[in-house]
């Protein structure tokens, strides 16, 4: 039976888990990034008002929302962080998959997603 050859890992390269830990240290804790008790309360209220995942609705699927996503990454900008017009009710699979792929494509892709969701693109 054939066996899989060993994986090539050059010396000095960090593993993915180690790399993720380093990135998490640089960006700070969730609380340090603004996700406070105030956010927890506001997010829970938003999900009560918007119980279905908006991203799933784009493909005619019905899934319960489990979190509130910021359509545009706020990167510490508290004005954008609290701008409810860009909050999106989302399920975790859409937030961690579909939405992350869109973010990696850049601002134009996020603007196109905003339009698909019936929102105006962010003005900067």
């Amino acid at each position: 039976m054939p066996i899989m050859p060993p994986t090539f890992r050059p010396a000095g390269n960090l593993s993915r888990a180690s790399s993720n830990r380093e990135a998490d240290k640089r960006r700070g804790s969730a609380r340090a990034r603004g996700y406070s008790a105030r956010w927890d309360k506001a997010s829970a209220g938003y999900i009560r008002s918007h119980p279905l995942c908006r991203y799933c609705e784009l493909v005619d699927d019905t899934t319960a929302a489990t979190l509130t996503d910021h359509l545009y990454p706020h990167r510490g900008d508290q004005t954008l962080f609290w701008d409810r017009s860009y909050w999106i009710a989302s399920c975790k699979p859409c937030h961690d998959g579909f939405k992350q792929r869109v973010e990696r494509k850049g601002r134009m892709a996020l603007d196109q997603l905003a339009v698909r969701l019936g929102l105006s693109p962010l003005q900067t």
Side-chain angles (χ1 to χ4, degrees), residues 74-122:
H74 56 84
R75 295 189 175 91
D77 177 350
Q78 289 299 299
T79 303
L80 182 56
F81 184 94
W82 290 106
D83 186 349
R84 288 176 169 257
S85 60
Y86 293 113
W87 290 4
I88 305 295
S90 176
C91 65
K92 187 153 175 59
C94 283
H95 176 267
D96 294 353
F98 166 73
K99 173 65 182 337
Q100 297 303 312
R101 286 190 299 276
V102 171
E103 277 188 30
R104 281 192 294 274
K105 291 179 183 176
R107 175 64 185 271
M108 188 181 301
L110 287 170
D111 289 345
Q112 291 170 347
L113 179 57
V115 171
R116 286 182 63 197
L117 292 166
L119 304 171
S120 60
L122 182 64

Side-chain angles (χ1 to χ4, degrees), residues 12-24:
N13 280 1
L14 298 175
S15 69
R16 175 173 279 173
S18 175
S19 177
N20 287 345
R21 278 191 300 274
E22 292 299 317
D24 285 344

Side-chain angles (χ1 to χ4, degrees), residues 10-84:
N13 280 1
L14 298 175
S15 69
R16 175 173 279 173
S18 175
S19 177
N20 287 345
R21 278 191 300 274
E22 292 299 317
D24 285 344
K25 283 180 190 174
R26 283 191 304 273
R27 72 182 192 152
S29 69
R31 292 293 190 219
R33 294 190 319 270
Y35 295 95
S36 62
R38 178 180 169 210
W39 165 257
D40 294 340
K41 185 176 179 180
S43 175
Y46 188 82
I47 291 173
R48 275 193 302 276
S49 300
H50 303 85
L52 299 178
C53 175
R54 294 282 311 276
Y55 301 130
C56 285
E57 288 176 345
L58 291 175
V59 292
D60 295 325
D61 196 3
T62 305
T63 307
T66 56
L67 56 91
T68 304
D69 181 35
H70 293 91
L71 177 60
Y72 290 96
H74 56 84
R75 295 189 175 91
D77 177 350
Q78 289 299 299
T79 303
L80 182 56
F81 184 94
W82 290 106
D83 186 349
R84 288 176 169 257

